[in-house]
Amino acid sequence: MKIMTEEILLKYKPQKNNLLQILHEIQTEQPHQYLPETELRKVSKYLNISMSSVYGVVSYYTMFSIKPRGKFIVRLCQSPVCDMLGSQLIANKLKELLQIDFNETTSDGLFTLEFSECLGLCANKPSMMINKQAYTGLNVDVIELIINDLRNESKNSDN
Amino acid sequence: MIYVTNPKTVITETRIALKNLGKINPESIDDYIFNGGYQAIAMALEMQPNAIIDEIEKSGLRGRGGAGFPTGSKNRFTSLSCDDCERFVICNADEGEPGTFKDRIIMENDPHLLIEGMLISAYAVGASIGYIYIRGEYDLSISLLQKAIHSAYSRGFLGKKIMKSNFSFDLELKIGAGSYLCGEELTLLESIEGKRGYPRIKPPFPAEKGLFGKPTLINNVETLSHFPAIITNGSEWYSNMGTEKTKGTKIFTLSGNVNNPGFCEVELGISLYSLIYDFGGGIKDGKSFKGALLGGAAGTFVDSSMLDAIMGYDKLKERGATLGSGAIIVFDEDQSVYDLLFSVLRFFQHESCGKCIPCRIGTTQILMLMEKLKNEHNKKDILAEILYESEMMAKTSLCPLGQSPVLPIRSAIMYFENELIKNNQ
């Protein structure tokens, strides 16, 4: 059962310094992992700050989205380290497997592709995160297995 | 002091920030206490706050976030900034420098050590509220710290009248949302206050006017993790380690084309060669070493002539290089320096917040020039223009982000100019 925005707000004092925490919690509870305008209006009202400054914060931070996203958000590291170790090859493989570009969501609503800056998972092969799960030591074969696993997992949970 | 030798390596580690690594369950406060945890704060509470600052100052500890500022002085400034006012202590856990993951390793393995370090720093400067600002991507660290804070409260190490003393301290986790710049201390304050991550103009420094306008002490995770050991063993013990001007140990994170990428905590004064070959097992696939980027994106390139360099803030500075966060990104003979530099500069362009013009326009301008460098013939002139542009940015930008691109650019030209000019990418 998802937690309503109203319930989340009540956990916090109506102070602006709680804004990021509140936004994180609301976004996590949304089925499409984004911040809908309706919810942002509730935040603006509760904290007594203008909608434009709420939007200003949301649009500044890359982890917040105002567009609906997939069930699985794939965040591929494109930092200098992963880039030199071939994250572009992983990016191409992901695009091919999912038939979408970065910053897009598959039509079945399962996957969103995003780039991330350094995830602090540096090794001698590229890394990524899918939702809260970290993956490192990636190559194109592993990517295919990971994506297929998630597809199957999702199919099974629907049945 | 605990010596641990990783079976993969032939270097001797000296672990202070990582002293409990692999020995305790990070979710168990009992494990931490059983291994001597929370004894340093007990000792500290018996001391005068000033005496603690003296010890930190005498230890020679310098900020492990990258800048290497003397930690003791920072403590002193914060404690002297006012007589009887509200103060804050903050832990900067917004680790985002490319190639750096030392703070993550500490938080994932020993979250209570960080809490104890914060307790000591708070007691020393007279703060009763603290925040750990951690990047949103570090999910495991976040949940372990949340758990650790919770159990520290339930055992009376956080909250009112800690260990039956008159010292009270509340600690809260603040979670970032994907911005490299929020690791810059003044920008971090803006973010904790619930705003866009725009840097503030310095001065005033945080020790004077920090969070909510109050004196604030900001320390990196690794720095704070040295506090308990300094209190327990004394400043002399600590200052016997390291080089003349850079005391103690440092965690280095090794990545790129090496056989054994990873992390190790060693006394400062080790050579770059030793880190890459003895710890890192040398270059992968039998290739040869071409160079390394030291300190992350806001760091400096070096080539093989620097393999004998001694790792210490001053020692590296003398030779025009930086220690920074302790990141060592190694690349082999096949890696194009142009590609790596481009990637570094793209990173700065993406992370520039856009508040000040030199950085907003400069980072984009430099990338356009990099494209030109690839496609046009007068490469020497274009390279000079890139350097000039980055020097202008360094002089005119508001915060360290805009001041940083000059470091990798200048050093890439210093060591790899021929390749950058010749290159037909």
Side-chain angles (χ1 to χ4, degrees):
Chain A
M1 188 62 193
K2 294 284 173 186
I3 303 169
M4 303 286 287
T5 299
E6 287 78 1
E7 280 177 67
I8 293 169
L9 290 174
L10 285 176
K11 294 202 296 191
Y12 292 92
K13 285 185 192 157
Q15 291 167 343
K16 190 178 178 178
N17 62 335
N18 289 322
L19 179 57
L20 264 69
Q21 271 36 56
I22 291 172
L23 294 174
H24 270 303
E25 277 204 45
I26 295 175
Q27 182 165 274
T28 311
E29 292 303 325
Q30 291 295 317
H32 296 289
Q33 304 202 59
Y34 81 118
L35 293 160
E37 194 185 318
T38 48
E39 309 311 296
L40 292 180
R41 289 206 178 278
K42 293 175 193 167
V43 176
S44 151
K45 204 174 154 200
Y46 182 74
L47 296 180
N48 195 23
I49 50 181
S50 70
M51 190 57 186
S52 63
S53 67
V54 173
Y55 179 75
V57 168
V58 171
S59 60
Y60 178 86
Y61 295 95
T62 54
M63 288 181 80
F64 296 136
S65 175
I66 51 164
K67 274 195 334 202
R69 294 187 288 184
K71 184 175 172 189
F72 302 110
I73 299 172
V74 182
R75 313 186 81 219
L76 178 66
C77 181
Q78 60 165 353
S79 84
V81 185
C82 286
D83 184 35
M84 91 179 208
L85 299 169
S87 68
Q88 198 50 52
L89 296 174
I90 309 289
N92 293 341
K93 184 71 185 181
L94 282 167
K95 287 200 278 190
E96 179 201 314
L97 283 168
L98 300 173
Q99 291 293 307
I100 52 168
D101 209 335
F102 276 76
N103 298 316
E104 288 180 1
T105 300
T106 53
S107 55
D108 57 6
L110 271 188
F111 295 95
T112 297
L113 280 184
E114 289 181 4
F115 278 118
S116 161
E117 294 304 345
C118 187
L119 293 168
L121 301 165
C122 322
N124 53 21
K125 290 209 177 82
S127 301
M128 69 175 182
M129 288 185 84
I130 299 182
N131 292 348
K132 291 178 168 186
Q133 180 68 44
Y135 296 83
T136 186
L138 298 175
N139 61 43
V140 284
D141 302 328
V142 172
I143 282 288
E144 191 156 2
L145 293 173
I146 295 170
I147 295 295
N148 286 340
D149 271 1
L150 291 173
R151 272 190 181 135
N152 290 335
E153 180 194 304
S154 178
K155 238 182 247 159
N156 295 339
S157 68
D158 287 348
N159 292 337
Chain B
M1 198 188 325
I2 300 147
Y3 289 98
V4 182
T5 306
N6 187 324
K8 258 198 310 199
T9 69
V10 288
I11 61 163
T12 306
E13 290 198 42
T14 307
R15 292 185 168 174
I16 294 174
L18 300 179
K19 66 178 175 186
N20 290 325
L21 182 105
K23 293 182 181 163
I24 62 165
N25 171 1
E27 295 190 40
S28 160
I29 191 170
D30 289 320
D31 269 20
Y32 182 70
I33 295 170
F34 186 74
N35 275 275
Y38 291 114
Q39 276 175 21
I41 181 63
M43 280 174 76
L45 290 172
E46 300 284 315
M47 294 163 73
Q48 288 299 319
N50 249 330
I52 295 171
I53 298 177
D54 288 344
E55 278 300 292
I56 301 290
E57 213 160 39
K58 278 192 280 182
S59 75
L61 176 63
R62 294 170 66 169
R64 295 290 192 257
F69 190 81
T71 307
S73 312
K74 210 148 96 172
N75 276 263
R76 177 94 57 212
F77 295 149
T78 314
S79 81
L80 291 176
S81 56
C82 60
D83 273 341
D84 191 24
C85 63
E86 192 177 21
R87 291 184 186 81
F88 296 104
V89 287
I90 290 174
C91 168
N92 184 347
D94 194 47
E95 181 167 67
E97 190 63 54
T100 310
F101 48 97
K102 65 191 179 65
D103 298 340
R104 176 173 69 78
I105 300 297
I106 296 173
M107 295 184 289
E108 285 181 3
N109 289 286
D110 203 1
H112 285 285
L113 182 70
L114 175 57
I115 295 175
E116 190 170 3
M118 287 205 75
L119 278 163
I120 295 168
S121 80
Y123 176 71
V125 301
S128 57
I129 296 175
Y131 297 98
I132 299 174
Y133 184 88
I134 183 169
R135 64 181 299 195
E137 293 90 341
Y138 275 6
D139 200 63
L140 181 57
S141 299
I142 293 170
S143 57
L144 285 169
L145 275 169
Q146 261 159 352
K147 202 167 270 180
I149 290 173
H150 185 78
S151 41
Y153 266 109
S154 66
R155 297 296 184 87
F157 294 116
L158 286 171
K160 298 254 176 300
K161 297 200 177 293
I162 289 162
M163 303 174 90
K164 299 192 176 96
S165 70
N166 281 324
F167 172 59
S168 301
F169 182 63
D170 283 309
L171 181 60
E172 199 186 314
L173 211 54
K174 287 280 187 183
I175 298 163
S179 158
Y180 167 70
L181 186 51
C182 287
E184 190 278 321
E185 57 179 12
L186 289 158
T187 314
L188 184 151
L189 299 176
E190 290 286 295
S191 187
I192 293 186
E193 290 179 9
K195 301 178 199 158
R196 285 171 76 93
Y198 277 167
R200 294 179 183 171
I201 295 168
K202 256 199 261 207
F205 290 90
E208 228 179 302
K209 249 185 172 187
L211 190 65
F212 308 120
K214 305 276 168 56
T216 303
L217 177 67
I218 307 167
N219 277 310
N220 170 262
V221 174
E222 190 184 359
T223 316
L224 287 163
S225 303
H226 287 220
F227 279 35
I230 293 173
I231 295 302
T232 315
N233 303 302
S235 56
E236 208 183 308
W237 163 81
Y238 192 85
S239 63
N240 276 330
M241 287 178 281
T243 67
E244 193 193 330
K245 287 180 178 159
T246 315
K247 302 297 183 192
T249 61
K250 174 89 192 76
I251 303 174
F252 290 97
T253 53
L254 194 67
S255 62
N257 307 133
V258 286
N259 282 313
N260 310 321
F263 61 89
C264 61
E265 183 176 9
V266 289
E267 269 189 51
L268 285 149
I270 193 171
S271 71
L272 179 60
Y273 180 92
S274 201
L275 285 168
I276 294 173
Y277 286 87
D278 300 335
F279 173 72
I283 309 302
K284 239 183 125 194
D285 303 328
K287 291 182 188 168
S288 66
F289 172 83
K290 181 172 184 178
L293 181 55
L294 305 182
T300 47
F301 282 96
V302 295
D303 72 358
S304 57
S305 69
M306 285 286 283
L307 278 172
D308 64 339
I310 297 298
M311 305 302 277
Y313 294 104
D314 297 78
K315 292 277 180 201
L316 281 175
K317 205 177 165 194
E318 281 166 21
R319 296 182 65 172
T322 52
L323 183 81
S325 60
I328 300 172
I329 302 163
V330 179
F331 51 96
D332 66 31
E333 54 191 308
D334 293 338
Q335 174 64 39
S336 142
V337 173
Y338 173 89
D339 286 351
L340 187 51
L341 183 61
F342 189 92
S343 189
V344 166
L345 297 171
R346 183 213 53 77
F347 167 74
F348 283 122
Q349 189 222 20
H350 182 252
E351 294 300 320
S352 174
C353 76
K355 179 176 178 173
C356 75
I357 296 160
C359 178
R360 180 177 69 224
I361 297 181
T363 48
T364 301
Q365 194 82 19
I366 284 177
L367 271 193
M368 284 161 62
L369 286 165
M370 283 295 283
E371 289 286 350
K372 256 175 99 175
L373 184 67
K374 186 175 171 181
N375 301 318
E376 292 182 18
H377 292 295
N378 52 337
K379 292 186 193 291
K380 205 163 180 168
D381 296 338
I382 298 167
L383 205 54
E385 214 179 321
I386 292 173
L387 180 63
Y388 174 75
E389 194 79 35
S390 67
E391 284 170 347
M392 281 308 277
M393 281 172 64
K395 284 179 188 150
T396 52
S397 296
L398 243 182
C399 86
L401 196 145
Q403 293 157 9
S404 291
V406 70
L407 297 169
I409 289 173
R410 192 190 283 139
S411 54
I413 295 173
M414 179 155 43
Y415 294 106
F416 303 104
E417 186 178 17
N418 286 340
E419 180 185 330
L420 290 167
I421 291 171
K422 234 190 294 167
N423 226 325
N424 300 311
Q425 288 93 6

